Amino acid sequence: MKRTWMLKAALVAMMVVSLALPGWAESPKMKMSTKIPPGIASPDKVETRLGTLKFLDGFPDNATVEKLYDNLDFQRAVQAYLLGLAPVSQVANRKGILEVGPANTTVPIFEQMMNARSIFLTPNNNTPYTWFWLDLRNGPLVLEVPPKVLGLIDDMWYHFVVDLGFMGPDKGQGGKYLLLPPGYKGEVPEGYSVVRPATFSIWAGWRTFLVDGDPKPGVDLVKKFTKIYPLSQAANPPALNFVNVSGRDFSTDAPADYAFWEYLNKVVQEEPSESVDPVTLGFYASIGIQKGKPFAPDSRMKKLLTEAAAVGDATARAITFRMRLKDAYYYPNSAWRGGFIGGYEFKDNGALILDAYSSFFFYATGVTPAMDSKMVGQGSQYMAAFIDSKGKPLDGGKNYKLHLPPNIPVANFWSVILYDNQTRSMLQTDQQWPAVSSQTKGLLVNPDSSVDVYFGPKPPPGKENNWVQTIPGKGWNTLLRLYGPLQPWFDKTWRPGEIENVE
C-alpha cells in the first residue's frame, strides 16, 4: 500500500517538473483534453523586429507587454497620421485663408495668377483663383456663384460636396446654392440648389479664366455676382469684403511635427462624429484624440507621437516620391503618373487605396469628379513626375530637358510647373512663375510643332522663354497639365518625353 502511494506521488512530481520545463507545449492528459491544432499555442520565446518576446505558457511577461504596447501605440499613431493628412491639410488651408479675414464675410481672390510667394499645395499659374471658407454653425447660408467659373466645395475631411460653375448645377450660368448645416431639419425654400455638407466648416473655391490673356473680366464677374449671406438675410444681403491676395506672402501648408496632432484634434472636436467613418475615429481615439475629451498626452505618449509624426511624414514622402502602385503610372517604364488613382474617392471595389489617398493629400488639394473626368476637349488632365529618365531624383543643380512631341493634344492650353519637394508649392526662385506653358510669351515652338522645355540653374543660350530656373541643392518635381485634352491623350498615342539629364 505504502509502495503504491509512493509511486503515485513520484508520478505527480514528475508531471509538475515537466510542466515547468522550458518549451513545454502540451497540457497534461486530463479527462477533457483534446489535441490543439498547430499554430495556436505561443512559444516561450518569439524573435521579432521588436526583439525577443517572452511568454509563460502564452502569458507575456512585463517587459514584453511594455514593448508590445509601445509598438501598438506607435503603429496606430503612424496610421492615424496618414489617415489625418486630409483633415490636417484642411485646417492649415483654413488657418492661412482666415488670416485674410473672417469666414462668411471675406472673399480672398487672386486678381492676377498665383505666383511662387504664396505657399499652397501644387497650385497653377494659368487661372486666377477665388478661395474662401464658410461656417455653417449659425444656420443655413446662401452662396451666390458668379457665371463662367469652375469650382467646388469640399468638407473638412476633404470629402467632395458639390461642383460649382461649369460642372455644377448652375452649368456656368451662375446660381444660388443653399448650404444647410449638419442635422438641419428646418424648412427648405425653393429656388436654390440645396447642398447638405457633412461638416460645419467647408471650403469653397473656383477658377476664372483669361479673356484674350487678361484675368480682369473674370475677376470682375466674381466681384459683381458673388454673394454670401445667412438665409435669414436673403432680402437684404450684407456686402462682402473682397481681398486681392496676389503676391501675398502666406502659407496654407500643414505642419509635419507634433503640431499635426493639435490640428487633427481641432477637426475631431469641431465636426460631427457621423461625418467620418468609425474606424478612422477609432485610430484617432486610440492615441488620445476623441470628441468631447481633452487631448492631453502624457510625456511617454507625447514623445511617441512626436516620433510617429516624423515617421508619418517620411512615409508620406516615400509613398509620394517613390510610388509603388503600378496602376499609378500612365505609361510603361515611365515617371509620369496620374493623381487620382482609384478615382476621386481613391477606391478599388469599395476598398480605400491607402497609398493613393495618402499621396494625394500630402501633395495636392481639391477633390471633385470633374478633376478626374475623362471628357475629350473638356476639363483638364494632370500628370506628375518626381524622377528623371534614369529613375534618379530631380536635382536643382543639374540641367534637364523635357520634349513634348508634335501636336500636343489640347483644345485650350498646356503647362509645365515646378514644385518644391519640401513644401509641394511653386518652386521659389528669381522667376515669378516657375513654369513654361503654351501661354508663355515668346515660347519657342519647333517646326514640327513639338516643344522642348529646359530646367536648370541657368538657361541654355537662346532658350530663355522655354526655361524654368532651379536651385543647386534643392530638389523639385513637376506637373504637366493639359486643359481640354484631346483623344490622343486618352488613347495614349501621344506621350510626353521623359525628363532627361543633359550635360
Side-chain angles (χ1 to χ4, degrees):
M1 183 73 172
K2 184 176 180 180
R3 179 185 176 87
T4 302
W5 178 86
M6 290 175 65
L7 285 171
K8 288 182 178 180
L11 285 170
V12 171
M14 288 174 64
M15 289 177 65
V16 171
V17 171
S18 297
L19 284 170
L21 290 174
W24 178 262
E26 294 186 8
S27 301
K29 296 297 182 182
M30 309 299 283
K31 288 183 179 179
M32 300 301 294
S33 294
T34 58
K35 185 177 180 180
I36 300 176
I40 295 176
S42 170
D44 289 347
K45 292 183 179 181
V46 180
E47 299 298 333
T48 72
R49 66 175 58 194
L50 306 179
T52 302
L53 307 180
K54 298 180 180 181
F55 301 85
L56 177 61
D57 192 28
F59 195 110
D61 67 12
N62 290 343
T64 295
V65 168
E66 183 177 353
K67 193 178 295 184
L68 289 169
Y69 272 128
D70 279 346
N71 177 63
L72 182 61
D73 290 343
F74 184 73
Q75 283 188 359
R76 285 177 173 167
V78 172
Q79 293 305 317
Y81 186 99
L82 296 175
L83 290 170
L85 285 167
V88 169
S89 180
Q90 282 290 55
V91 174
N93 182 5
R94 182 178 68 182
K95 180 177 181 295
I97 294 300
L98 293 187
E99 290 173 359
V100 179
N104 300 350
T105 61
T106 309
V107 180
I109 181 170
F110 290 85
E111 295 190 15
Q112 301 297 321
M113 273 72 76
M114 190 186 297
N115 64 35
R117 291 191 63 85
S118 299
I119 298 178
F120 284 66
L121 292 178
T122 56
N124 74 57
N125 71 315
N126 309 118
T127 54
Y129 289 105
T130 304
W131 198 294
F132 55 98
W133 279 85
L134 302 174
D135 190 332
L136 303 179
R137 293 183 191 285
N138 293 324
L141 280 180
V142 176
L143 170 63
E144 294 193 16
V145 176
K148 300 181 180 180
V149 300
L150 179 66
L152 55 81
I153 292 177
D154 285 343
D155 72 12
M156 279 302 290
W157 303 104
Y158 253 125
H159 296 152
F160 168 71
V161 177
V162 68
D163 281 315
L164 306 173
F166 290 115
M167 303 302 291
D170 65 281
K171 304 301 181 185
Q173 301 301 308
K176 296 181 179 181
Y177 291 74
L178 178 59
L179 310 173
L180 303 178
Y184 180 77
K185 299 186 185 305
E187 292 186 9
V188 180
E190 296 182 354
Y192 299 93
S193 296
V194 177
V195 183
R196 294 181 180 270
T199 62
F200 291 102
S201 188
I202 56 176
W203 169 53
W206 54 65
R207 306 172 188 175
T208 53
F209 297 89
L210 306 182
V211 178
D212 297 326
D214 186 1
K216 190 175 185 301
V219 170
D220 288 345
L221 286 176
V222 171
K223 289 183 174 182
K224 181 178 180 180
F225 290 103
T226 303
K227 294 182 181 180
I228 302 167
Y229 50 88
L231 179 61
S232 59
Q233 298 181 27
N236 187 27
L240 288 175
N241 180 27
F242 290 91
V243 180
N244 179 14
V245 292
S246 293
R248 184 185 177 99
D249 182 2
F250 68 126
S251 173
T252 62
D253 267 19
D257 56 8
Y258 181 80
F260 180 97
W261 306 113
E262 295 169 335
Y263 277 44
L264 179 59
N265 185 54
K266 285 181 180 291
V267 187
V268 172
Q269 301 304 332
E270 293 174 0
E271 301 298 349
S273 295
E274 297 77 18
S275 61
V276 69
D277 67 276
V279 173
T280 296
L281 286 178
F283 273 103
Y284 301 158
S286 72
I287 57 170
I289 296 176
Q290 193 168 6
K291 190 172 182 66
K293 296 183 178 180
F295 175 51
D298 58 21
S299 57
R300 167 191 167 271
M301 198 65 186
K302 191 167 184 177
K303 180 180 178 182
L304 186 148
L305 289 172
T306 301
E307 183 184 359
V311 172
D313 177 66
T315 303
R317 290 175 182 277
I319 291 171
T320 302
F321 299 151
R322 291 289 191 183
M323 175 64 73
R324 62 183 178 179
L325 295 173
K326 293 182 179 179
D327 290 346
Y329 295 91
Y330 205 64
Y331 311 98
N333 303 313
S334 175
W336 292 108
R337 314 195 323 236
F340 291 95
I341 308 161
Y344 75 97
E345 293 184 306
F346 312 101
K347 290 181 180 178
D348 182 18
N349 291 320
L352 184 67
I353 307 172
L354 294 171
D355 285 1
Y357 175 91
S358 299
S359 175
F360 183 88
F361 290 111
F362 174 77
Y363 187 65
T365 58
V367 176
T368 162
M371 294 176 71
D372 182 46
S373 62
K374 296 177 174 57
M375 298 179 290
V376 174
Q378 299 183 44
S380 54
Q381 290 287 297
Y382 305 78
M383 300 297 293
F386 300 91
I387 54 177
D388 69 13
S389 62
K390 304 297 183 184
K392 295 181 179 180
L394 297 166
D395 184 339
K398 295 181 179 179
N399 297 305
Y400 298 90
K401 176 182 175 181
L402 167 64
H403 181 67
L404 300 177
N407 304 313
I408 300 172
V410 290
N412 300 320
F413 60 92
W414 58 265
S415 74
V416 176
I417 305 177
L418 267 57
Y419 299 98
D420 186 323
N421 285 346
Q422 292 285 20
T423 65
R424 292 87 70 203
S425 300
M426 287 190 201
L427 190 66
Q428 295 182 332
T429 66
D430 293 328
Q431 292 178 315
Q432 186 176 19
W433 295 294
V436 169
S437 80
S438 54
Q439 297 176 327
T440 299
K441 292 182 180 179
L443 179 74
L444 296 177
V445 179
N446 299 323
D448 63 355
S449 81
S450 68
V451 175
D452 294 312
V453 182
Y454 300 89
F455 315 101
K458 295 182 180 180
K463 310 290 186 182
E464 289 82 0
N465 293 334
N466 290 44
W467 165 74
V468 187
Q469 184 181 11
T470 62
I471 305 171
K474 175 158 284 296
W476 56 275
N477 62 81
T478 188
L479 275 171
L480 167 63
R481 290 175 167 92
L482 302 182
Y483 293 89
L486 300 178
Q487 188 60 39
W489 171 260
F490 294 109
D491 62 23
K492 302 182 182 180
T493 55
W494 184 91
R495 171 178 173 171
E498 301 299 309
I499 300 174
E500 303 283 350
N501 180 213
V502 293
E503 298 301 329

